[in-house]
Amino acid sequence: MRKIQSQGIHHITLMGADRQTSIDFWEGVMGMPFIFDQPNLDDPDEGHLYFDPGDGRLITVFTNETRKPVHTRTPTDAGCVHHLAINVSLASFRQIEARLNDRGIRHSGHKDRGFMDSIYFKDPLGFLIECACYKFEPPAGCTNADVMIEAHKARVKAGDYNIQEIHLADAIETLVERTQGTLSQDRSPKNPY
């Protein structure tokens, strides 16, 4: 028996309402360029819109002009998607509350998650969206996941409830020591003062 080895998200497809609501939200609020448009190849009554979330991968939306936006919370039963988290820069994150307020969009306000900052709000169909901003940059050649697994190990070792910034800093130091060479014989902390 063998695994199917994933190599990242290819795309995420959401059920939208009408075409213009989808374009207005994903491009007009979230800033994702609208890059491709074709029929839903499995349902000729639907459109299939493609948006670039910023990393070259895709978020796609099935649209139907007979579906209208209903702004109630989408189902959160077992097996349903709870929310979609979109990565944003720190500069963008600091502007989100004001930009949502300008549109009259209700939101959670800033949430400190220890390893990232978040804000939550609903799309026009009631689907929960999270804008998230990591509190760290991974070392060269490492990924966010590399930092997270090392931070988890540091958190567990310390007996802490959740990942905090100290765990991230220690994780980054561990990864730098593991992945970047030095001519020094001793890499331990020093006090040259």
Side-chain angles (χ1 to χ4, degrees), residues 145-185:
D146 294 331
V147 174
M148 294 298 295
I149 195 166
E150 292 301 327
H152 169 79
K153 291 175 186 176
R155 175 193 70 83
V156 170
K157 184 177 180 182
D160 293 331
Y161 181 70
N162 64 300
I163 291 177
Q164 298 168 25
E165 290 180 15
I166 185 68
H167 306 126
L168 296 171
D170 290 348
I172 290 167
E173 184 176 347
T174 297
L175 289 168
V176 167
E177 287 178 1
R178 185 181 305 151
T179 62
Q180 296 175 8
T182 182
L183 295 176
S184 297
Q185 297 298 317

Short mmCIF file of all heavy atoms in Angstrom, two decimals, residues 145-185:
data_model
loop_
_atom_site.label_atom_id
_atom_site.label_comp_id
_atom_site.label_asym_id
_atom_site.label_seq_id
_atom_site.Cartn_x
_atom_site.Cartn_y
_atom_site.Cartn_z
N ALA A 145 5.92 25.73 7.42
CA ALA A 145 5.68 24.45 8.09
C ALA A 145 6.92 23.99 8.86
O ALA A 145 6.79 23.42 9.96
CB ALA A 145 5.26 23.38 7.08
N ASP A 146 8.12 24.23 8.33
CA ASP A 146 9.36 23.88 9.06
C ASP A 146 9.42 24.62 10.39
O ASP A 146 9.77 24.05 11.42
CB ASP A 146 10.60 24.23 8.22
CG ASP A 146 10.73 23.42 6.95
OD1 ASP A 146 10.27 22.26 6.92
OD2 ASP A 146 11.30 23.96 5.98
N VAL A 147 9.11 25.91 10.35
CA VAL A 147 9.13 26.71 11.58
C VAL A 147 8.06 26.21 12.55
O VAL A 147 8.32 26.06 13.75
CB VAL A 147 8.93 28.21 11.28
CG1 VAL A 147 8.82 29.02 12.58
CG2 VAL A 147 10.07 28.74 10.41
N MET A 148 6.86 25.93 12.03
CA MET A 148 5.76 25.50 12.90
C MET A 148 6.06 24.18 13.62
O MET A 148 5.76 24.04 14.81
CB MET A 148 4.47 25.39 12.09
CG MET A 148 3.96 26.72 11.55
SD MET A 148 3.55 27.91 12.84
CE MET A 148 2.19 27.07 13.63
N ILE A 149 6.65 23.23 12.92
CA ILE A 149 6.92 21.94 13.59
C ILE A 149 7.99 22.11 14.68
O ILE A 149 7.87 21.53 15.77
CB ILE A 149 7.28 20.82 12.59
CG1 ILE A 149 7.17 19.46 13.29
CG2 ILE A 149 8.62 21.01 11.95
CD1 ILE A 149 7.16 18.27 12.35
N GLU A 150 9.00 22.93 14.42
CA GLU A 150 10.02 23.17 15.45
C GLU A 150 9.44 23.98 16.61
O GLU A 150 9.78 23.73 17.76
CB GLU A 150 11.23 23.87 14.84
CG GLU A 150 12.02 23.01 13.88
CD GLU A 150 12.56 21.72 14.49
OE1 GLU A 150 12.91 21.70 15.69
OE2 GLU A 150 12.64 20.72 13.75
N ALA A 151 8.57 24.94 16.31
CA ALA A 151 7.92 25.72 17.38
C ALA A 151 7.02 24.83 18.22
O ALA A 151 6.94 24.98 19.44
CB ALA A 151 7.14 26.89 16.77
N HIS A 152 6.34 23.89 17.57
CA HIS A 152 5.51 22.93 18.31
C HIS A 152 6.37 22.13 19.28
O HIS A 152 6.01 21.95 20.45
CB HIS A 152 4.77 22.00 17.34
CG HIS A 152 4.11 20.86 18.01
ND1 HIS A 152 2.90 20.98 18.67
CD2 HIS A 152 4.50 19.57 18.18
CE1 HIS A 152 2.57 19.81 19.20
NE2 HIS A 152 3.53 18.95 18.91
N LYS A 153 7.49 21.64 18.79
CA LYS A 153 8.39 20.87 19.67
C LYS A 153 8.84 21.72 20.86
O LYS A 153 8.87 21.23 21.99
CB LYS A 153 9.60 20.38 18.88
CG LYS A 153 9.28 19.32 17.85
CD LYS A 153 10.52 18.99 17.03
CE LYS A 153 10.22 18.03 15.88
NZ LYS A 153 11.42 17.81 15.04
N ALA A 154 9.19 22.97 20.62
CA ALA A 154 9.62 23.87 21.70
C ALA A 154 8.47 24.12 22.68
O ALA A 154 8.70 24.16 23.90
CB ALA A 154 10.13 25.19 21.11
N ARG A 155 7.25 24.29 22.17
CA ARG A 155 6.09 24.52 23.02
C ARG A 155 5.85 23.31 23.93
O ARG A 155 5.65 23.45 25.13
CB ARG A 155 4.84 24.79 22.18
CG ARG A 155 3.57 24.91 23.02
CD ARG A 155 2.32 24.87 22.17
NE ARG A 155 2.05 23.57 21.60
CZ ARG A 155 1.43 22.56 22.22
NH1 ARG A 155 1.05 22.68 23.47
NH2 ARG A 155 1.21 21.43 21.58
N VAL A 156 5.86 22.12 23.34
CA VAL A 156 5.63 20.90 24.11
C VAL A 156 6.71 20.73 25.17
O VAL A 156 6.42 20.43 26.33
CB VAL A 156 5.54 19.67 23.18
CG1 VAL A 156 5.55 18.37 23.97
CG2 VAL A 156 4.30 19.76 22.29
N LYS A 157 7.96 20.94 24.79
CA LYS A 157 9.07 20.81 25.74
C LYS A 157 8.92 21.78 26.91
O LYS A 157 9.20 21.44 28.06
CB LYS A 157 10.40 21.06 25.03
CG LYS A 157 11.61 20.87 25.90
CD LYS A 157 12.90 21.06 25.11
CE LYS A 157 14.10 20.87 26.02
NZ LYS A 157 15.36 21.09 25.29
N ALA A 158 8.44 22.99 26.63
CA ALA A 158 8.25 23.99 27.68
C ALA A 158 6.97 23.76 28.48
O ALA A 158 6.77 24.38 29.52
CB ALA A 158 8.22 25.39 27.06
N GLY A 159 6.08 22.89 27.99
CA GLY A 159 4.83 22.64 28.67
C GLY A 159 3.82 23.76 28.51
O GLY A 159 2.89 23.89 29.32
N ASP A 160 3.97 24.57 27.48
CA ASP A 160 3.07 25.70 27.25
C ASP A 160 1.81 25.27 26.50
O ASP A 160 1.83 24.30 25.72
CB ASP A 160 3.78 26.81 26.50
CG ASP A 160 4.89 27.45 27.34
OD1 ASP A 160 4.76 27.45 28.58
OD2 ASP A 160 5.87 27.93 26.75
N TYR A 161 0.74 26.01 26.71
CA TYR A 161 -0.57 25.69 26.16
C TYR A 161 -0.63 25.86 24.64
O TYR A 161 -1.20 25.04 23.94
CB TYR A 161 -1.63 26.57 26.83
CG TYR A 161 -3.03 26.33 26.35
CD1 TYR A 161 -3.70 25.14 26.67
CD2 TYR A 161 -3.70 27.28 25.60
CE1 TYR A 161 -5.00 24.92 26.23
CE2 TYR A 161 -4.99 27.07 25.16
CZ TYR A 161 -5.64 25.88 25.49
OH TYR A 161 -6.92 25.68 25.05
N ASN A 162 -0.06 26.95 24.15
CA ASN A 162 -0.09 27.20 22.70
C ASN A 162 1.25 27.81 22.26
O ASN A 162 2.04 28.25 23.09
CB ASN A 162 -1.24 28.13 22.31
CG ASN A 162 -1.10 29.52 22.90
OD1 ASN A 162 -1.04 29.69 24.12
ND2 ASN A 162 -1.00 30.52 22.04
N ILE A 163 1.47 27.81 20.95
CA ILE A 163 2.69 28.39 20.41
C ILE A 163 2.70 29.88 20.67
O ILE A 163 1.70 30.57 20.44
CB ILE A 163 2.83 28.08 18.91
CG1 ILE A 163 3.09 26.60 18.69
CG2 ILE A 163 3.96 28.91 18.28
CD1 ILE A 163 3.16 26.19 17.24
N GLN A 164 3.84 30.37 21.14
CA GLN A 164 4.03 31.79 21.41
C GLN A 164 5.27 32.27 20.65
O GLN A 164 6.02 31.47 20.09
CB GLN A 164 4.17 32.01 22.91
CG GLN A 164 2.92 31.59 23.67
CD GLN A 164 3.13 31.54 25.18
OE1 GLN A 164 4.00 32.21 25.71
NE2 GLN A 164 2.34 30.73 25.85
N GLU A 165 5.50 33.55 20.67
CA GLU A 165 6.60 34.12 19.89
C GLU A 165 7.96 33.57 20.31
O GLU A 165 8.85 33.38 19.48
CB GLU A 165 6.56 35.64 19.95
CG GLU A 165 5.38 36.19 19.18
CD GLU A 165 5.29 37.71 19.19
OE1 GLU A 165 6.28 38.39 19.54
OE2 GLU A 165 4.21 38.22 18.82
N ILE A 166 8.18 33.27 21.60
CA ILE A 166 9.45 32.70 22.05
C ILE A 166 9.71 31.36 21.38
O ILE A 166 10.83 31.04 21.00
CB ILE A 166 9.51 32.58 23.61
CG1 ILE A 166 10.89 32.11 24.06
CG2 ILE A 166 8.42 31.66 24.13
CD1 ILE A 166 12.00 33.10 23.83
N HIS A 167 8.65 30.57 21.18
CA HIS A 167 8.81 29.28 20.52
C HIS A 167 9.18 29.47 19.05
O HIS A 167 9.98 28.70 18.50
CB HIS A 167 7.52 28.46 20.63
CG HIS A 167 7.03 28.30 22.03
ND1 HIS A 167 5.76 28.65 22.41
CD2 HIS A 167 7.65 27.86 23.16
CE1 HIS A 167 5.61 28.42 23.70
NE2 HIS A 167 6.74 27.94 24.18
N LEU A 168 8.60 30.48 18.41
CA LEU A 168 8.94 30.79 17.01
C LEU A 168 10.41 31.20 16.90
O LEU A 168 11.13 30.73 16.01
CB LEU A 168 8.05 31.90 16.48
CG LEU A 168 6.56 31.60 16.39
CD1 LEU A 168 5.79 32.87 16.05
CD2 LEU A 168 6.29 30.51 15.37
N ALA A 169 10.85 32.08 17.80
CA ALA A 169 12.23 32.55 17.77
C ALA A 169 13.20 31.38 17.97
O ALA A 169 14.21 31.27 17.27
CB ALA A 169 12.45 33.63 18.82
N ASP A 170 12.89 30.51 18.92
CA ASP A 170 13.74 29.34 19.16
C ASP A 170 13.73 28.40 17.97
O ASP A 170 14.76 27.82 17.61
CB ASP A 170 13.31 28.61 20.43
CG ASP A 170 13.62 29.40 21.71
OD1 ASP A 170 14.36 30.40 21.63
OD2 ASP A 170 13.08 29.02 22.77
N ALA A 171 12.58 28.24 17.34
CA ALA A 171 12.47 27.37 16.16
C ALA A 171 13.32 27.90 15.02
O ALA A 171 14.02 27.14 14.34
CB ALA A 171 11.01 27.26 15.73
N ILE A 172 13.28 29.20 14.81
CA ILE A 172 14.08 29.80 13.74
C ILE A 172 15.57 29.61 14.02
O ILE A 172 16.34 29.26 13.12
CB ILE A 172 13.69 31.28 13.56
CG1 ILE A 172 12.28 31.35 12.95
CG2 ILE A 172 14.71 32.02 12.71
CD1 ILE A 172 11.63 32.71 12.98
N GLU A 173 15.97 29.81 15.26
CA GLU A 173 17.38 29.59 15.62
C GLU A 173 17.79 28.13 15.35
O GLU A 173 18.86 27.87 14.79
CB GLU A 173 17.62 29.94 17.09
CG GLU A 173 19.07 29.83 17.50
CD GLU A 173 19.32 30.27 18.94
OE1 GLU A 173 18.43 30.89 19.55
OE2 GLU A 173 20.43 30.00 19.43
N THR A 174 16.93 27.19 15.73
CA THR A 174 17.21 25.77 15.48
C THR A 174 17.37 25.49 14.00
O THR A 174 18.30 24.80 13.58
CB THR A 174 16.06 24.90 16.06
OG1 THR A 174 16.02 25.08 17.47
CG2 THR A 174 16.24 23.44 15.71
N LEU A 175 16.47 26.05 13.18
CA LEU A 175 16.53 25.81 11.74
C LEU A 175 17.77 26.44 11.11
O LEU A 175 18.40 25.84 10.23
CB LEU A 175 15.26 26.33 11.07
CG LEU A 175 14.00 25.52 11.35
CD1 LEU A 175 12.77 26.27 10.89
CD2 LEU A 175 14.09 24.14 10.70
N VAL A 176 18.15 27.63 11.57
CA VAL A 176 19.36 28.28 11.04
C VAL A 176 20.58 27.42 11.38
O VAL A 176 21.44 27.17 10.52
CB VAL A 176 19.50 29.71 11.59
CG1 VAL A 176 20.90 30.27 11.31
CG2 VAL A 176 18.44 30.62 10.97
N GLU A 177 20.66 26.95 12.61
CA GLU A 177 21.79 26.11 13.00
C GLU A 177 21.84 24.82 12.18
O GLU A 177 22.92 24.33 11.84
CB GLU A 177 21.74 25.79 14.49
CG GLU A 177 22.09 26.97 15.36
CD GLU A 177 21.99 26.68 16.84
OE1 GLU A 177 21.65 25.53 17.24
OE2 GLU A 177 22.24 27.60 17.65
N ARG A 178 20.69 24.29 11.85
CA ARG A 178 20.61 23.02 11.12
C ARG A 178 20.92 23.21 9.63
O ARG A 178 21.49 22.31 9.01
CB ARG A 178 19.20 22.43 11.28
CG ARG A 178 19.05 21.07 10.65
CD ARG A 178 17.65 20.51 10.79
NE ARG A 178 17.23 20.48 12.17
CZ ARG A 178 15.96 20.59 12.57
NH1 ARG A 178 14.99 20.72 11.69
NH2 ARG A 178 15.66 20.57 13.84
N THR A 179 20.54 24.34 9.06
CA THR A 179 20.60 24.48 7.60
C THR A 179 21.69 25.41 7.09
O THR A 179 22.00 25.39 5.91
CB THR A 179 19.25 24.98 7.05
OG1 THR A 179 18.96 26.28 7.60
CG2 THR A 179 18.12 24.03 7.39
N GLN A 180 22.27 26.23 7.96
CA GLN A 180 23.28 27.20 7.50
C GLN A 180 24.61 26.93 8.18
O GLN A 180 24.69 26.87 9.41
CB GLN A 180 22.81 28.63 7.78
CG GLN A 180 21.54 28.97 6.99
CD GLN A 180 21.00 30.34 7.35
OE1 GLN A 180 21.61 31.11 8.06
NE2 GLN A 180 19.82 30.64 6.83
N GLY A 181 25.63 26.77 7.37
CA GLY A 181 26.96 26.46 7.89
C GLY A 181 27.65 27.67 8.51
O GLY A 181 27.22 28.80 8.35
N THR A 182 28.73 27.41 9.21
CA THR A 182 29.57 28.46 9.81
C THR A 182 31.00 27.96 9.89
O THR A 182 31.25 26.75 9.94
CB THR A 182 29.06 28.85 11.21
OG1 THR A 182 29.89 29.90 11.72
CG2 THR A 182 29.10 27.68 12.18
N LEU A 183 31.93 28.90 9.92
CA LEU A 183 33.34 28.56 10.13
C LEU A 183 33.68 28.50 11.61
O LEU A 183 34.77 28.05 11.99
CB LEU A 183 34.24 29.58 9.42
CG LEU A 183 34.12 29.60 7.89
CD1 LEU A 183 34.97 30.72 7.31
CD2 LEU A 183 34.52 28.25 7.31
N SER A 184 32.78 28.96 12.49
CA SER A 184 33.03 28.96 13.93
C SER A 184 33.03 27.55 14.48
O SER A 184 32.25 26.70 14.05
CB SER A 184 31.97 29.78 14.65
OG SER A 184 32.03 31.13 14.26
N GLN A 185 33.88 27.33 15.47
CA GLN A 185 33.91 26.04 16.15
C GLN A 185 32.82 25.95 17.22
O GLN A 185 32.38 24.87 17.56
CB GLN A 185 35.30 25.83 16.81
CG GLN A 185 36.43 25.77 15.82
CD GLN A 185 36.31 24.60 14.86
OE1 GLN A 185 35.99 23.49 15.26
NE2 GLN A 185 36.54 24.87 13.59
#
